[in-house]
Amino acid sequence: MAMGKVSEPSQSAADKCTAADMQKMSGALFDREYLAAMAGDHNRASVLFEDASQHAKSSTTRDFARTVLEQLRRHLLSVQNLQKQMQGM
């Protein structure tokens, strides 16, 4: 089976700004901002993979998207649980 060429995604201007801001942070502030960024990234990725799992032309792509979507949802739940724990600190 031939695989398509995959390239590394480029970093958006907003991501570069977030990364630059976070380099100046430490401790609990860094932790909170990092978790917020991870939650946002996982939410955005989940939307894309949800769409692909339902609308991709290839059944292989749909199956792959479903598998990744399950992992994204588990990761997002973990991030959200950590955010709740951080609120109590």
Side-chain angles (χ1 to χ4, degrees), residues 43-78:
N43 275 321
R44 285 186 292 279
S46 293
V47 169
L48 296 173
F49 278 89
E50 177 74 35
D51 182 65
S53 74
Q54 296 175 11
H55 301 107
K57 292 179 182 177
S58 162
S59 64
T60 302
T61 302
R62 287 192 305 273
D63 291 343
F64 173 76
R66 283 186 198 104
T67 299
V68 173
L69 182 59
E70 290 172 17
Q71 294 172 350
L72 284 168
R73 287 178 174 158
R74 283 194 303 272
H75 291 174
L76 178 58
L77 184 59
S78 294

Side-chain angles (χ1 to χ4, degrees), residues 17 76 87:
C17 184
L76 178 58
Q87 289 175 353

